[in-house]
Amino acid sequence: VMDYYLGFQTAPYVGGIQKIGTAVTMTCLARGVPDPDAVTWYRGISKLGTTSTELTIASIRKEDKGDYYCVATNNYGMIYSPRVSLQVQYLDDEFEDITCFKKENKDGKLTISPCTPTNLKEGDVFSLKCNGPSGWPYPKTTWYFNNDPISSSADGLAPAPNQYGDLIFPWAQLLTPANTRAV
């Protein structure tokens, strides 16, 4: 009586978050009786074009992120390796425009509308939204006024950034921060 089996000696592994442009190699060593015929690599549900026991990405792009696994086969059957998630750190370098929104309470209804410095009245609550670059992990937005970072004030009366990257002005003043920028 012949015993048949199929298993992994080494399953794919990726350590930590990978940076764009770096190289990564994943290894998939299968053992069995009879010996495995092939190892096939997948990213998600897409079959990759290699049957080597090693999958190398020589220069990572953000499009390479995803779940990778391998499938080994022999006359006994097939076996799937555990999935490994390739996480790619990136930061796009394009900023969109900074847009302004104001909140108004008209007839007991709160309305939010685009604003410009010309349609703001003293005391209006308004915010500047920074449509910054996309990235992973999600980029943190820092606002500056006269080259000094803007942070929250204890009294809540000064302009302050929120967790979404918006700069909230609790009330409009006659002078608008012309030197304000986001990075």
Side-chain angles (χ1 to χ4, degrees), residues 120-126 169-176:
L120 287 174
K121 299 183 302 284
E122 182 133 3
D124 280 350
V125 174
F126 71 99
F169 291 79
W171 41 264
Q173 293 178 311
L174 291 176
L175 298 175
T176 57

Side-chain angles (χ1 to χ4, degrees), residues 1-170:
V1 174
M2 184 171 205
D3 288 332
Y4 294 97
Y5 76 92
L6 184 60
F8 288 104
Q9 179 178 335
T10 305
Y13 172 77
V14 176
I17 299 169
Q18 306 300 310
K19 292 184 179 181
I20 288 181
T22 60
V24 67
T25 299
M26 294 174 263
T27 303
C28 181
L29 293 176
R31 296 287 182 241
V33 174
D35 287 335
D37 301 320
V39 170
T40 306
W41 286 91
Y42 291 83
R43 183 178 70 227
I45 60 171
S46 300
K47 186 177 181 179
L48 303 177
T50 183
T51 58
S52 169
T53 58
E54 287 189 343
L55 174 65
T56 298
I57 303 171
S59 182
I60 293 176
R61 303 168 302 145
K62 72 178 179 181
E63 295 81 14
D64 293 321
K65 71 180 180 187
D67 292 334
Y68 289 78
Y69 64 97
C70 60
V71 177
T73 58
N74 70 4
N75 290 342
Y76 176 72
M78 69 173 42
I79 187 170
Y80 292 78
S81 74
R83 291 177 181 256
V84 62
S85 181
L86 177 62
Q87 298 176 349
V88 179
Q89 179 180 5
Y90 70 93
L91 179 64
D92 290 334
D93 59 357
E94 293 184 23
F95 271 85
E96 296 178 21
D97 291 336
I98 294 175
T99 53
C100 178
F101 295 95
K102 82 175 177 178
K103 297 178 183 179
E104 297 178 276
N105 194 346
K106 293 182 181 176
D107 302 323
K109 295 182 181 178
L110 180 66
T111 60
I112 300 175
S113 57
C115 67
T116 61
T118 57
N119 74 355
L120 287 174
K121 299 183 302 284
E122 182 133 3
D124 280 350
V125 174
F126 71 99
S127 64
L128 296 177
K129 177 157 183 60
C130 174
N131 297 319
S134 62
W136 196 90
Y138 189 77
K140 178 181 182 266
T141 301
T142 303
W143 287 87
Y144 291 84
F145 179 71
N146 290 333
N147 293 321
D148 293 323
I150 298 172
S151 60
S152 299
S153 67
D155 60 10
L157 297 177
N162 67 13
Q163 70 269 28
Y164 305 110
D166 302 338
L167 184 61
I168 309 298
F169 291 79

